[in-house]
Amino acid sequence: MNQSSYDDSDKRFDLRWYEKLLEISPVGIFFTDAEGHCLHVNQRWCEIAGMNHDQALGRGWVQAIAKADYDRVAHEWYEAARNNQPFHSEYRFCTPDGQITWVVGDARAIHQEDGSIAGYIGTITDIHRAKLDRIALKQHTERIRTIIEQMPVLLFAFDEQGCLSAWNAEAERVTGYSAQDMIGNPQAMEWLCPDPGYRRQMHDNYKRLGDDYLNWEWHLTAKDGTTRIVAFSNIAGRHPIDGWANWGVGVDVTSFRRTEQALGERVKELTCLYKLSMLSSQHNLNLEDFLGEAVELLPPSWQYPEITCARIVYQDKIFATDDFTSTPWKLSSQLHVRGLQVGLIEVYYREEKPELAEGPFLMEERLLIDEIALQISRTINHVLGRQDLALLDELSARAGELEKFSHSVSHDLRTPLTAIGGYAQILEKQIQKNNLAEAKNSAEKIQKITVRMEHRLSELLKLAKIGKIIEPSEKIDLGALISDVLEMFENRLQAEDISVRVDSDFPWVIGDRIRLMEVFENLLENAIKYIGKSPKTIAIGYTLKGIEKVFYVEDNGIGIAPEHSEDIFQIFWRLDKSSPGDGTGLAITKRIIEAHGGRIWVESEGPGQGARFCFTLGHVLEA
Ligand code: ADP
């Protein structure tokens, strides 16, 4: 150091001040000769290095550099010296007891007047705290970046110009577009939403929602052309980030939505099949009603119910939904019963829809229509089977009746025929004897028996005619019908001093008016005929048994023994042969009731206890 130059410039300045400065400097200071041998270090240097001044002298100071950094530092030092550049580097000092301190070292060469290097002067600054903070920050930043890159959430950000400035690995995975494709690309949104209408709609929504929305679902077109559904949330309004005018996150909900949609479709299909099976299992199912209701179940089970219509063709009948139109977009399945095609089911879309497994229809819809066709076919089969059985039952009942009938006919007609035969022989003899007065008597008897036979035959014919076929059914006010019948009996009832109680509010029924009048006439006729002693009363009414209405005609007459409660409905069966009548009334009544889908029976406590004739009808209307 050239002491005199300072003395010359400023008398007040003393070089010892420099020495003092060296000692109080917050940075370590060192001096070396041209070979790097230490000539001097200050107090701060000693503190950082953990060695004293003397230990640092010569090559001693080198020990202070952490071994891990030594080679690098030496290399940088020699490079700087060789290039005549100042030395600057960050490295670690390590005290003999192992304490590490990060420092930034600076050094410069001091040149002689001839230009040769006299030595080096340098500083070491303790940057340990800042360096650790920087390392921590870097690690922290790395961690965040890794999380952002690896999290299964899309991250996007836009800059002030509306260009994407962030696009993470999940965004790349979901859309197929790389960050390189998207960041800074002004067409990025067009690539993701190629349909201008949809883009405009989303843009308008964005204007409405602003920077604060949650789970807004977008349909993005991926690079491979497939559609992905992403639920975006933008919280930039609440959590602004410097440099990102707008940012948010998104979750790929494509498979979730697809599963949800598929599940919804399955539920619709199951509901349809369930309702169909409920319809099929209805008691007393009428095929036409069933097909009419079944066709209405079809449209709601298809993917686009609002544009779906359907029809079921069964033999020569068509059951269609109200809005039925045939179009080219059709799915159909055949109905088979007992190995024969008996019809088909058709489902139509009234508008064109994107191509799927079979035209615009899903593979599941093909399976569904086939399953429905199968169920309907089974139901038709079942109903036809039941009708066959009913027919069979009826046929065998008819056969039984026919047998009884022919038995009755032969039995009941044989007696008068034998009588006629007897009288005819007598008549012949009387004529031969010319006994005309007696002959006239016999002829009259023959005539009388013949008239009775004629009557019987006509009754038998009447009974035979009352079968399944009755007059066209009409709506009948049963109360009015009973009044009409009572009117015919008015005189007799009065003459015989019989009081009649009639229920009010009889329901309406569907049936054959003349035949039903006959039922009440027959029952009333019997009630009057077999009525007992005074007070004589007859009641006509109806009661509810469960949900069934039971009509009755009741008298307080001679009653019926339980063992005859079935016999009385047989043709020509009579308990008391001496009483007027021919035993056909109840048989005819029973036939009429059965032809109306009902049943008839008698309730009586026994002889002398009166009788109640009860019957039901197949078609009773609600009051
Ligand atoms: P009919 O009255 O001409 O003999 P029906 O077929 O009407 O023929 O009746 C058959 C039989 O049933 C009667 O002969 C009678 O024995 C019995 N019967 C019918 N109605 C009653 C009644 N209200 N009370 C008692 N017995 C009856």
Side-chain angles (χ1 to χ4, degrees):
M1 239 178 269
N2 191 343
Q3 214 168 352
S4 61
S5 62
Y6 290 100
D7 287 343
D8 292 345
S9 59
D10 186 346
K11 289 294 181 215
R12 288 174 297 160
F13 186 69
D14 187 325
L15 264 183
R16 280 173 306 180
W17 294 9
Y18 266 121
E19 285 172 11
K20 202 71 204 162
L21 183 64
L22 273 181
E23 291 319 311
I24 65 166
S25 166
V27 300
I29 295 173
F30 63 90
F31 300 91
T32 71
D33 62 15
E35 278 71 42
H37 293 108
C38 178
L39 300 173
H40 180 68
V41 288
N42 72 348
Q43 183 54 34
R44 179 69 187 126
W45 191 98
C46 292
E47 282 167 20
I48 296 170
M51 61 174 67
N52 63 32
H53 176 268
D54 290 345
Q55 286 169 328
L57 295 181
R59 297 295 295 170
W61 71 280
V62 171
Q63 303 299 320
I65 297 173
K67 289 205 168 43
D69 293 342
Y70 180 79
D71 287 346
R72 174 175 62 86
V73 173
H75 175 74
E76 287 170 357
W77 177 280
Y78 288 121
E79 278 299 298
R82 195 163 61 85
N83 297 320
N84 211 5
Q85 293 284 325
F87 167 81
H88 177 87
S89 183
E90 282 182 15
Y91 51 94
R92 280 162 289 188
F93 261 33
C94 181
T95 63
D97 58 8
Q99 190 178 330
I100 297 286
T101 308
W102 273 97
V103 298
V104 56
D106 285 282
R108 276 180 173 60
I110 304 293
H111 294 93
Q112 311 255 38
E113 274 170 14
D114 63 2
S116 63
I117 292 175
Y120 294 91
I121 183 168
T123 59
I124 54 164
T125 308
D126 179 351
I127 56 162
H128 196 66
R129 193 63 268 144
K131 180 77 178 180
L132 289 188
D133 287 350
R134 256 193 345 222
I135 290 172
L137 183 68
K138 196 170 161 223
Q139 286 172 344
H140 186 66
T141 311
E142 277 304 317
R143 266 202 303 270
I144 295 212
R145 181 171 301 136
T146 309
I147 290 168
I148 287 177
E149 279 306 316
Q150 301 310 320
M151 66 182 180
V153 170
L154 295 90
L155 176 96
F156 66 94
F158 290 98
D159 61 18
E160 294 291 348
Q161 282 70 46
C163 283
L164 278 166
S165 53
W167 192 251
N168 71 346
E170 177 67 355
E172 290 184 334
R173 185 192 69 78
V174 173
T175 64
Y177 289 116
S178 67
Q180 209 182 356
D181 290 334
M182 302 310 258
I183 291 179
N185 177 357
Q187 288 182 315
M189 288 316 290
E190 284 170 43
W191 290 7
L192 292 170
C193 304
D195 175 5
Y198 182 67
R199 227 170 33 243
R200 207 170 315 113
Q201 187 191 334
M202 291 294 135
H203 186 256
D204 292 347
N205 276 350
Y206 174 68
K207 276 198 175 152
R208 193 166 46 78
L209 297 168
D211 287 342
D212 198 354
Y213 53 81
L214 288 178
N215 294 324
W216 177 15
E217 289 186 12
W218 279 61
H219 290 234
L220 301 182
T221 303
K223 198 170 184 176
D224 62 7
T226 57
T227 301
R228 316 291 308 174
I229 306 168
V230 178
F232 281 116
S233 296
N234 184 341
I235 45 172
R238 271 184 282 164
H239 302 285
I241 290 182
D242 269 357
W244 286 356
N246 194 333
W247 72 279
V249 291
V251 179
D252 176 18
V253 293
T254 316
S255 65
F256 175 66
R257 286 284 169 266
R258 301 245 156 95
T259 311
E260 198 177 51
Q261 196 191 359
L263 214 65
E265 292 300 322
R266 290 313 74 77
V267 169
K268 285 198 296 184
E269 290 161 16
L270 283 177
T271 309
C272 170
L273 290 174
Y274 172 72
K275 287 186 176 169
L276 199 62
S277 73
M278 292 303 285
L279 267 187
S280 315
S281 60
Q282 264 176 20
H283 190 61
N284 274 341
L285 191 68
N286 169 305
L287 214 46
E288 295 196 2
D289 291 349
F290 166 70
L291 294 174
E293 286 184 50
V295 75
E296 297 294 339
L297 295 178
L298 302 178
S301 317
W302 259 254
Q303 217 191 152
Y304 310 102
E306 62 288 350
I307 57 152
T308 307
C309 57
R311 72 175 167 191
I312 299 174
V313 182
Y314 173 58
Q315 291 176 339
D316 54 349
K317 296 199 182 69
I318 294 178
F319 304 85
T321 50
D322 288 345
D323 49 4
F324 183 80
T325 332
S326 75
T327 68
W329 310 293
K330 174 178 85 168
L331 195 62
S332 76
S333 190
Q334 295 180 349
L335 298 175
H336 286 103
V337 174
R338 296 168 191 176
L340 289 176
Q341 195 201 328
V342 291
L344 75 164
I345 308 178
E346 293 174 325
V347 170
Y348 290 83
Y349 279 164
R350 291 195 305 272
E351 285 171 21
E352 189 166 6
K353 285 288 170 187
E355 283 282 314
L356 292 169
E358 192 175 331
F361 300 99
L362 294 164
M363 198 231 317
E364 287 81 1
E365 287 168 338
R366 156 55 57 202
L367 298 177
L368 177 66
I369 197 168
D370 287 346
E371 183 58 36
I372 291 174
L374 201 67
Q375 246 196 59
I376 292 181
S377 299
R378 273 197 206 126
T379 307
I380 296 175
N381 198 3
H382 181 72
V383 172
L384 292 184
R386 228 179 35 212
Q387 282 173 1
D388 287 355
L389 272 182
L391 208 66
L392 216 65
D393 277 355
E394 203 180 307
L395 276 176
S396 62
R398 288 272 171 277
E401 272 177 32
L402 203 68
E403 201 184 313
K404 277 190 213 159
F405 184 73
S406 51
H407 177 78
S408 306
V409 171
S410 56
H411 172 268
D412 288 283
L413 295 185
R414 194 174 300 129
T415 319
L417 270 179
T418 316
I420 289 174
Y423 282 121
Q425 277 174 6
I426 295 168
L427 181 68
E428 197 181 1
K429 281 179 191 149
Q430 288 165 339
I431 290 174
Q432 277 168 6
K433 287 181 192 165
N434 212 8
N435 192 348
L436 288 181
E438 282 188 17
K440 188 171 175 261
N441 193 16
S442 296
E444 273 169 13
K445 280 188 177 148
I446 288 176
Q447 204 177 2
K448 212 165 156 192
I449 296 171
T450 310
V451 168
R452 253 205 352 254
M453 264 185 82
E454 255 177 3
H455 175 71
R456 282 201 163 191
L457 271 172
S458 82
E459 286 301 313
L460 279 171
L461 268 174
K462 198 163 148 195
L463 186 68
K465 273 187 193 160
I466 306 166
K468 210 170 145 41
I469 304 150
I470 53 174
E471 291 300 310
S473 294
E474 55 177 312
K475 265 174 77 176
I476 300 160
D477 178 351
L478 216 50
L481 182 141
I482 292 167
S483 298
D484 290 349
V485 173
L486 279 171
E487 221 175 83
M488 293 193 282
F489 285 86
E490 209 174 284
N491 291 336
R492 272 180 73 192
L493 289 168
Q494 252 175 28
E496 299 193 29
D497 194 21
I498 300 172
S499 68
V500 180
R501 180 181 63 76
V502 186
D503 274 0
S504 55
D505 296 335
F506 271 93
W508 286 62
V509 298
I510 291 185
D512 181 331
R513 194 181 153 73
I514 305 286
R515 295 276 190 243
L516 288 178
M517 277 187 91
E518 211 172 326
V519 166
F520 281 98
E521 280 167 29
N522 286 345
L523 295 179
L524 207 56
E525 174 76 45
N526 282 350
I528 296 171
K529 207 156 61 177
Y530 302 109
I531 200 112
K533 299 184 184 92
S534 294
K536 303 171 181 175
T537 55
I538 293 175
I540 305 176
Y542 73 97
T543 54
L544 260 185
K545 261 203 179 151
I547 53 162
E548 203 172 34
K549 289 195 175 77
V550 175
F551 305 95
Y552 63 84
V553 175
E554 187 183 79
D555 61 65
N556 63 343
I558 64 167
I560 293 161
E563 63 269 26
H564 297 312
S565 60
E566 299 276 330
D567 302 333
I568 53 173
F569 294 103
Q570 280 180 32
I571 187 146
F572 304 131
W573 191 94
R574 308 178 64 223
L575 185 61
D576 177 6
K577 307 273 189 280
S578 65
S579 71
D582 56 11
T584 56
L586 285 180
I588 290 172
T589 303
K590 181 172 187 254
R591 180 64 67 84
I592 296 174
I593 297 293
E594 284 173 356
H596 280 80
R599 308 182 315 281
I600 184 165
W601 66 98
V602 66
E603 292 172 2
S604 174
E605 302 279 297
Q609 303 295 309
R612 174 187 270 219
F613 283 84
C614 304
F615 65 91
T616 60
L617 291 171
H619 293 279
V620 180
L621 303 176
E622 284 307 313

